[in-house]
């Protein structure tokens, strides 16, 4: 490679939002053992990216400043480091970069082989880049926490998915319907038809009285809630849960941990479970193959060039994206 510098965006301290992202020229990183250098074609933003910037995970993340944020990428392998056996230069891939290192908002990034999967021509870079954090969160919430079998076997599970038009929510609805489920979903009025089109059986406008109360139009009690929204108290969920129902909170805050502890201490059959996504290569590969087979789609809210990535960042912070926000170098 003749050039040694690349365009990237970074921030130097906590806070500041989109205005704190700086366009910089930095050295193209070098892959170490079990790593690959990728030339990026698409980067997907997740709320966790700007929450880390806000300091939600301080002092753990970011590991150091300046920080190049974002972790979900799709691109082409340019160079492999020692020990990489399954990929070679020219391969098209989807990768989850580690939040410890980040590095996604750039023209190139280094990815670990154990969090990288092949991307077939049927899956566009943008579709692939949307999958890692949001897709794997939805997959883990459904299969591990809610016990849904995505092959359609097992007893029917009555599910509620909140904020169903967002990044995690729109994947959760589609994946849930691969299993034996009845899905009630909440979203804003403008997205009711969209969420229905993803396969939801019942859709509630969260601003109506029934929507705010999370009441199933068909009177069902929920066996599990995939909770992708914020600011809904336990007291709203509890009357809508079945006797062993659980709320799976994908963005748990202090009150969620308090509820989790209280339910444990009182041996309550109704539970709240905080969910922390664990990125697994085999699950990412499964999702990429579902997209390839037309059984799952990444809905793209908007695309921005890397030169305007701060606008994508601001849109993510705004919190009203339908599907995924993509940045393209």
């Amino acid at each position: 490679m003749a050039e040694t510098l690349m365009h990237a965006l970074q921030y130097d301290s906590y806070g500041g939002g989109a205005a704190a992202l700086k366009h910089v020229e930095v050295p193209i990183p070098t892959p170490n053992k079990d790593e690959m250098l990728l030339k990026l074609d698409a980067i997907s933003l997740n709320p966790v990216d700007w929450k880390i910037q806000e300091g939600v995970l301080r002092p753990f993340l970011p590991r150091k400043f300046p920080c190049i944020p974002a972790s979900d990428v799709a691109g082409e392998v340019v160079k492999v480091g020692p020990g990489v056996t399954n990929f070679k230069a020219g391969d098209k891939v989807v990768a989850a970069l580690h939040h410890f290192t980040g590095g996604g908002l750039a023209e190139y990034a280094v990815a670990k082989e154990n969090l990288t999967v092949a991307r077939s021509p049927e899956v566009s870079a943008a579709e692939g880049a949307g999958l890692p954090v949001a897709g794997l969160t939805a997959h883990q919430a459904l299969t591990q926490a809610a016990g849904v079998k995505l092959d359609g076997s097992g007893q029917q599970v009555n599910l509620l998915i909140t904020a169903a038009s967002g990044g995690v929510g729109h994947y959760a609805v589609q994946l849930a319907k691969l299993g034996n489920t009845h899905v009630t979903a909440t979203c804003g009025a403008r997205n009711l038809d969209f969420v229905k089109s993803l396969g939801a059986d019942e859709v509630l406008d969260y601003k109506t009285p029934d929507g705010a109360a999370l009441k199933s139009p068909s009177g069902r009690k929920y066996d599990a809630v995939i909770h992708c929204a914020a600011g809904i108290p336990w007291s709203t969920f509890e009357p809508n849960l079945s006797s062993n129902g659980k709320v799976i909170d994908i963005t748990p805050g202090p009150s969620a941990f308090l509820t989790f502890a209280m339910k444990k201490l009182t041996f309550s059959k109704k539970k709240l479970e905080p969910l922390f996504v664990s990125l697994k290569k085999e699950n990412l590969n499964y999702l990429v193959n579902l997209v390839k087979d037309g059984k799952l789609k990444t809905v793209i809210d908007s695309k921005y060039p890397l030169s305007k990535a701060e606008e994508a960042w601001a849109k993510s912070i705004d919190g009203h994206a339908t599907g995924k926000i993509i940045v393209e170098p």
Side-chain angles (χ1 to χ4, degrees), residues 84-323:
V84 173
T85 52
N86 294 317
F87 295 98
K88 63 188 185 308
D91 287 351
K92 301 280 192 184
V93 296
V94 174
L97 311 179
H98 205 291
H99 279 300
F100 286 162
T101 50
L105 270 188
E107 291 176 295
Y108 294 85
V110 162
K112 291 198 175 298
E113 184 176 26
N114 65 358
L115 283 175
T116 302
V117 302
R119 174 173 67 80
S120 63
E122 296 91 336
V123 181
S124 74
E127 288 170 324
L131 288 168
V133 166
L136 290 172
T137 299
H139 180 271
Q140 186 176 328
L142 287 162
T143 58
Q144 287 181 29
V148 175
K149 292 183 168 60
L150 301 189
D151 61 1
S153 67
Q155 288 183 304
Q156 189 178 65
V157 180
N158 288 323
L159 287 176
L160 170 67
I161 299 171
T162 62
S165 58
V168 176
H170 93 286
Y171 286 133
V173 172
Q174 296 175 76
L175 290 170
K177 290 312 293 178
L178 296 175
N180 181 12
T181 60
H182 181 280
V183 174
T184 305
T186 71
C187 61
R190 71 190 171 92
N191 285 319
L192 293 171
D193 289 341
F194 164 66
V195 172
K196 265 219 165 68
S197 78
L198 297 175
D201 299 288
E202 306 175 323
V203 189
L204 293 164
D205 172 356
Y206 73 93
K207 287 191 170 164
T208 62
D210 276 356
L214 305 177
K215 279 195 188 340
S216 157
S218 58
R220 288 163 195 261
K221 299 290 185 194
Y222 308 120
D223 302 311
V225 179
I226 312 293
H227 183 32
C228 310
I232 300 175
W234 173 258
S235 57
T236 305
F237 288 117
E238 187 152 34
N240 295 299
L241 294 175
S242 63
S243 55
N244 290 311
K246 60 167 83 167
V247 175
I248 300 145
D249 193 339
I250 70 159
T251 55
S255 67
F257 287 106
L258 203 59
T259 304
F260 167 70
M262 287 302 296
K263 296 290 144 198
K264 269 254 193 277
L265 288 170
T266 55
F267 301 103
S268 167
K269 286 187 168 175
K270 297 182 181 184
K271 297 182 174 71
L272 184 140
E273 289 185 7
L275 179 102
F276 298 99
V277 67
S278 130
L279 303 173
K280 291 192 174 150
K281 178 172 180 149
E282 62 268 29
N283 294 343
L284 182 56
N285 199 44
Y286 171 77
L287 294 179
V288 171
N289 281 326
L290 284 181
V291 174
K292 175 186 154 205
D293 296 341
K295 293 178 180 169
L296 179 69
K297 59 184 176 189
T298 296
V299 175
I300 294 164
D301 174 272
S302 44
K303 289 181 178 178
Y304 296 83
L306 190 61
S307 60
K308 292 187 175 166
E310 62 275 24
E311 293 177 20
W313 197 260
K315 173 118 199 198
S316 181
I317 291 172
D318 180 53
H320 292 291
T322 301

